[in-house]
Amino acid sequence: MTASRISADGGMETSYGFRQVDEQEKQGLVNDVFHKVAKRYDIMNDVMSAGLHRVWKDAMVASLNPRKDPNYKVLDVAGGTGDIAFRIVEASNRLAHATVLDINGSMLGVGAERAEKKGLSPNLTFVEANAESLPFDDKTFDAYTIALGIRNVPHIDVALSEAFRVLKRGGRLLVLEFSEVEMPLLDKLYDAWSFNAIPRFGKMITGDAEPYQYLVESIRKFPNQSDFARMIERAGFSKVRFTNYNGGIVALHSGWKI
């Protein structure tokens, strides 16, 4: 498999980084990655983004601007350690309720521990489930968020359709994901950092470079900003837009269920 990006027509379901794998094998391989890094997930994100993931996540929640309302319900998917959900609850003055859904129990365990320490447990529910088959009724949530996680979902189109299903009319989808760098010099520097430095730092921190190698490669396989926007539109969302951060290292996609 090459480093060329997947188009809007799909292909992530058989891509494990640059390796071609069986469609039934993909989810298990990704699960193993996150079992390995769960305890050091924040350190992993600091390494991969040079600490900028915190700024990007703050910007995502600021864009969401959650209502200060106890009836406001958010589903945060692939958010096991709670980074986005905690920010949403705090931004609502601890009034909103966030359901944190992750397929990986190790990640959820870390998130639940952190929530207890922060005194946020009453505002949070942790659910172990698959983004491709959400265990919720139609029209349940006011917002659906997923940060730096959708590229790890094998069938992205299915996950987006599920997001549309569980959102209320007028609900909003926000997806923060590593994307395609659009500045010529920056893209070369970013590639050098990603492929040379990140796996080495990962090995130093966790003793295992392989999870970091996969994560770097998965970023290069994920559809670019325009292609991913088309996937969101195909799932039924309206007013789909994206905003690049740091030259396109990451992009924040937004869509509405109207």
Side-chain angles (χ1 to χ4, degrees):
M1 177 170 284
T2 68
S4 59
R5 290 185 181 275
I6 299 298
S7 74
D9 295 323
M12 290 296 282
E13 63 274 10
T14 57
S15 166
Y16 179 72
F18 294 163
R19 283 171 50 198
Q20 186 81 24
V21 297
D22 186 86
E23 191 170 340
Q24 305 305 315
E25 187 183 6
K26 168 72 179 281
Q27 188 66 69
L29 290 169
V30 173
N31 287 351
D32 286 344
V33 166
F34 287 95
H35 282 305
K36 291 176 181 176
V37 303
K39 292 292 185 182
R40 302 195 178 191
Y41 182 71
D42 288 335
I43 297 174
M44 178 193 78
N45 278 332
D46 280 330
V47 169
M48 294 188 69
S49 71
L52 287 170
H53 75 100
R54 301 172 190 275
V55 177
W56 300 332
K57 290 171 180 176
D58 286 343
M60 179 185 193
V61 174
S63 179
L64 177 63
N65 190 23
R67 293 200 313 269
K68 297 172 177 62
D69 179 349
N71 295 315
Y72 187 77
K73 296 181 180 179
V74 180
L75 175 63
D76 183 46
V77 175
T81 61
D83 260 10
I84 295 297
F86 298 164
R87 284 169 166 83
I88 290 171
V89 170
E90 294 287 14
S92 75
N93 289 347
R94 299 198 174 198
L95 292 173
H97 189 277
T99 298
V100 181
L101 182 140
D102 205 298
I103 199 170
N104 192 291
S106 298
M107 298 285 282
L108 288 167
V110 173
E113 289 178 10
R114 292 180 67 202
E116 188 67 30
K117 290 177 182 178
K118 291 176 178 287
L120 295 174
S121 295
N123 297 81
L124 296 161
T125 301
F126 291 86
V127 176
E128 186 173 350
N130 194 322
E132 297 176 12
S133 182
L134 298 175
F136 308 112
D137 292 336
D138 296 358
K139 303 176 183 177
T140 297
F141 296 97
D142 297 285
Y144 175 115
T145 58
I146 181 167
L148 310 181
I150 200 163
R151 75 183 189 282
N152 299 309
V153 177
H155 301 91
I156 294 171
D157 57 339
V158 176
L160 291 172
S161 294
E162 278 289 271
F164 188 85
R165 180 183 67 80
V166 300
L167 279 172
K168 300 174 184 177
R169 291 289 173 187
R172 191 176 183 195
L173 168 79
L174 280 176
V175 183
L176 181 72
E177 189 53 83
F178 289 104
S179 200
E180 185 172 61
V181 177
E182 297 184 339
M183 297 173 64
L185 179 59
L186 180 60
D187 67 345
K188 291 180 174 58
L189 293 172
Y190 183 54
D191 279 349
W193 166 257
S194 297
F195 289 103
N196 297 318
I198 288 177
R200 291 180 184 176
F201 277 116
K203 186 172 179 61
M204 289 169 56
I205 294 167
T206 67
D208 190 354
E210 195 276 334
Y212 291 82
Q213 187 68 37
Y214 157 71
L215 290 165
V216 168
E217 292 178 1
S218 69
I219 291 168
R220 299 312 188 282
K221 297 301 295 184
F222 189 72
N224 67 22
Q225 292 89 325
S226 297
D227 280 341
F228 185 53
R230 279 194 285 276
M231 294 181 75
I232 295 172
E233 288 171 344
R234 288 177 184 174
F237 289 95
S238 303
K239 298 182 180 179
V240 176
R241 302 284 186 274
F242 65 83
T243 302
N244 284 332
Y245 298 135
N246 295 97
I249 290 176
V250 297
L252 178 64
H253 281 75
S254 171
W256 296 85
K257 180 175 179 177
I258 297 176

